[in-house]
Amino acid sequence: MSINSALLSGVSGLVANSSALAAISDNIANVNTVAYKRNQVNFANVVTAQAVKGKYSAGGVQGITRQFVSQQGLIQSSGSATDLAISGDGFFVVAERGAGLTASDSRTFTRQGSFSVDADGYLVNDSGLYLQGWPVQSDGSYNVNPSDLTLMNSINVKNLGAAVAPTSEIGVSANLNAAGVVSAGEAAYVNNTVASMADYADDPTTGTRPDFVIEMNVTDSQGGARKVAVSFLKDNAATGNVWHAEIYGIPASDYDVAGRPGQLARGQVMFNNDGSINLTNTTLFGAAGATPQIVLNASGGAQPNFADSLGIGAQTIDLDLTKVTQYAKTSTVNAISNNGAGVGNIVAIEVDEDGIISAIYDNSQIREVAKIGVATFPNADGLAQVSGNAYRPTLAAGEMTVKEAGVGGAGKISPSSLEASTVDLSAEFTGLIQTQKAYSASSKIITTADQMLEELINIKR
């Protein structure tokens, strides 16, 4: 009967508008939730077969929920270095626990990037979900795989230990006085009738006193502080552009060498007529033109090496002497650069646009920890919502692919930023009014149909 179908149509209107109210309520409640994506209930009519010509049976309405997961929220600056937002397509991969994560643990996807470091050092967001990333390999690379989520681990930025950077490069900017020093010992030094400048450094009562010494600090493989020096003695018998030179360790007891105390190298340093250094004809590092470097074997190794008692590793130190000059002015050291660093502890965390998370140490070292992967879906709006402002894959969403940030259509990471909710309060309040009126109208259908049925029943009286 048509009146009965009207009743059912009114009921369907109440149900559909109740769903719409629930969606609007969720949107309004989450207006300040990071990266929340608004939902909307759309309406579709239900048509029933008309059994009798000229009579109409109402089918009613059904509510169809639509998610706007792919809608980009406003990227807003944040005061925390671990707050992250994705600018563009994609999701953070997250898990429900940090330590002991296995392949059987479920992974979900979210854009809620309000991450902070928990007591165990893991990056976890406000919903208690742990950020996943590819850990850095021993060679500094990342084992990136577009479909295997088990290659990603919960990112820990605290349990990394201290950082040490052994010295591998030293740059020297200095000037040697072209006049040198007239030394009575220079002739004897040339004739090898007196001890070396390394002897003098070890015991000033012996050896030959140099005209000038450049001391350089060295950080060893364990973060210890060592020292090497280059000493110069002008060759007064030559053309004026030749200096005798030695490289030796201070103190000599830290180094095991076959020659003089702590002496690592001995030869000549040549200069051009314009005062610039002539490394092509310099013999301090071996044959003329040899690479300027200091090579030290590990403790217990072949000479020259660090003393056995130190127990430290081998080290090759490249020397940049291109800024060493010979001018007619006082011998002086202008600057010495050194890429080594002693033991340092973590003081800050940094994330770049490529999703690389690095630990900053108080010795100025930067160590890469992990790279954040960005998961993309052909139809992100088809994902299923789960608690914690996250989503799980569905057939409607399509095949997931994990990409590096900014690669292959994946969004870039915006560090120290958060994505705002996509809820527009003005639109939601307008929808709230419309839904209320529609609900009231549907209830009127039921009361009107009830009155008509009552009139029909009264016919019998």
Side-chain angles (χ1 to χ4, degrees):
M1 178 175 190
S2 297
I3 296 178
N4 287 333
S5 69
L7 276 171
L8 295 176
S9 178
V11 171
S12 69
L14 294 177
V15 172
N17 282 287
S18 296
S19 296
L21 177 64
I24 294 171
S25 300
D26 235 4
N27 292 341
I28 294 174
N30 286 278
V31 66
N32 290 321
T33 300
V34 174
Y36 175 81
K37 306 299 181 181
R38 65 181 294 269
N39 296 304
Q40 178 176 300
V41 174
N42 293 333
F43 298 96
N45 67 316
V46 177
V47 178
T48 59
Q50 306 303 322
V52 180
K53 187 176 181 180
K55 293 185 177 181
Y56 185 86
S57 294
V61 65
Q62 61 179 348
I64 300 173
T65 302
R66 181 181 176 186
Q67 300 181 120
F68 294 89
V69 181
S70 58
Q71 185 176 354
Q72 175 76 55
L74 179 66
I75 303 298
Q76 299 174 320
S77 179
S78 165
S80 173
T82 56
D83 280 343
L84 307 174
I86 297 176
S87 180
D89 189 22
F91 301 83
F92 298 111
V93 182
V94 290
E96 293 182 353
R97 64 173 175 170
L101 193 65
T102 66
S104 61
D105 290 310
S106 63
R107 275 74 166 176
T108 53
F109 309 91
T110 185
R111 289 178 69 98
Q112 184 176 349
S114 52
F115 294 102
S116 59
V117 182
D118 71 1
D120 297 318
Y122 291 98
L123 286 177
V124 58
N125 70 8
D126 292 341
S127 297
L129 299 175
Y130 292 82
L131 180 62
Q132 304 294 292
W134 295 292
V136 65
Q137 306 295 304
S138 58
D139 61 356
S141 64
Y142 296 92
N143 188 10
V144 176
N145 188 294
S147 58
D148 189 356
L149 294 180
T150 62
L151 295 179
M152 306 176 80
N153 291 327
S154 298
I155 299 174
N156 191 297
V157 295
K158 288 297 184 183
N159 299 330
L160 304 175
V164 171
T167 300
S168 61
E169 296 178 0
I170 294 179
V172 179
S173 174
N175 179 67
L176 303 181
N177 191 341
V181 176
V182 178
S183 172
E186 190 268 328
Y189 180 87
V190 175
N191 295 327
N192 291 319
T193 57
V194 297
S196 69
M197 291 181 276
D199 280 296
Y200 182 86
D202 188 51
D203 182 0
T205 64
T206 64
T208 302
R209 179 179 180 178
D211 291 345
F212 190 61
V213 178
I214 300 175
E215 293 187 352
M216 301 171 290
N217 293 319
V218 172
T219 303
D220 64 32
S221 61
Q222 296 180 2
R226 308 294 163 195
K227 185 177 289 187
V228 295
V230 183
S231 60
F232 298 89
L233 180 65
K234 186 68 180 287
D235 186 346
N236 296 310
T239 60
N241 293 330
V242 180
W243 294 72
H244 306 293
E246 292 182 29
I247 299 176
Y248 49 84
I250 302 174
S253 58
D254 281 355
Y255 304 86
D256 187 7
V257 296
R260 309 309 301 172
Q263 188 183 80
L264 305 174
R266 175 172 174 162
Q268 292 183 327
V269 175
M270 313 294 288
F271 289 89
N272 298 310
N273 291 338
D274 63 358
S276 61
I277 195 168
N278 182 347
L279 292 173
T280 301
N281 295 312
T282 291
T283 61
L284 177 61
F285 308 101
T291 302
Q293 60 182 200
I294 301 172
V295 179
L296 286 163
N297 294 311
S299 298
Q303 296 178 335
N305 62 300
F306 287 109
D308 296 351
S309 61
L310 298 178
I312 53 181
Q315 207 160 342
T316 297
I317 304 170
D318 293 325
L319 297 178
D320 181 2
L321 303 179
T322 56
K323 294 182 180 179
V324 176
T325 59
Q326 177 195 253
Y327 293 139
K329 62 180 292 187
T330 304
S331 295
T332 184
V333 175
N334 299 317
I336 296 178
S337 61
N338 184 333
N339 70 342
V343 179
N345 297 308
I346 298 175
V347 293
I349 301 299
E350 182 179 81
V351 185
D352 66 15
E353 287 188 346
D354 297 324
I356 296 176
I357 299 177
S358 302
I360 312 299
Y361 288 79
D362 55 11
N363 61 356
S364 300
Q365 294 300 297
I366 300 176
R367 178 187 293 181
E368 292 186 7
V369 178
K371 176 179 278 192
I372 300 170
V374 178
T376 61
F377 296 85
N379 175 29
D381 292 341
L383 291 169
Q385 284 184 305
V386 295
S387 295
N389 199 15
Y391 304 89
R392 62 173 176 80
T394 63
L395 289 175
E399 190 72 22
M400 176 213 66
T401 304
V402 184
K403 305 170 183 175
E404 298 175 75
V407 176
K412 280 188 170 292
I413 302 295
S414 296
S416 299
S417 301
L418 290 173
E419 182 180 2
S421 167
T422 58
V423 174
D424 181 350
L425 275 180
S426 60
E428 298 302 328
F429 283 135
T430 300
L432 198 62
I433 296 171
Q434 292 175 328
T435 302
Q436 181 184 16
K437 295 300 183 184
Y439 189 89
S440 297
S442 294
S443 67
K444 289 298 183 182
I445 295 175
I446 297 174
T447 56
T448 300
D450 176 60
Q451 291 173 357
M452 292 176 68
L453 284 172
E454 186 176 354
E455 291 294 331
L456 180 63
I457 294 172
N458 287 336
I459 292 176
K460 184 176 179 293
R461 294 178 183 173

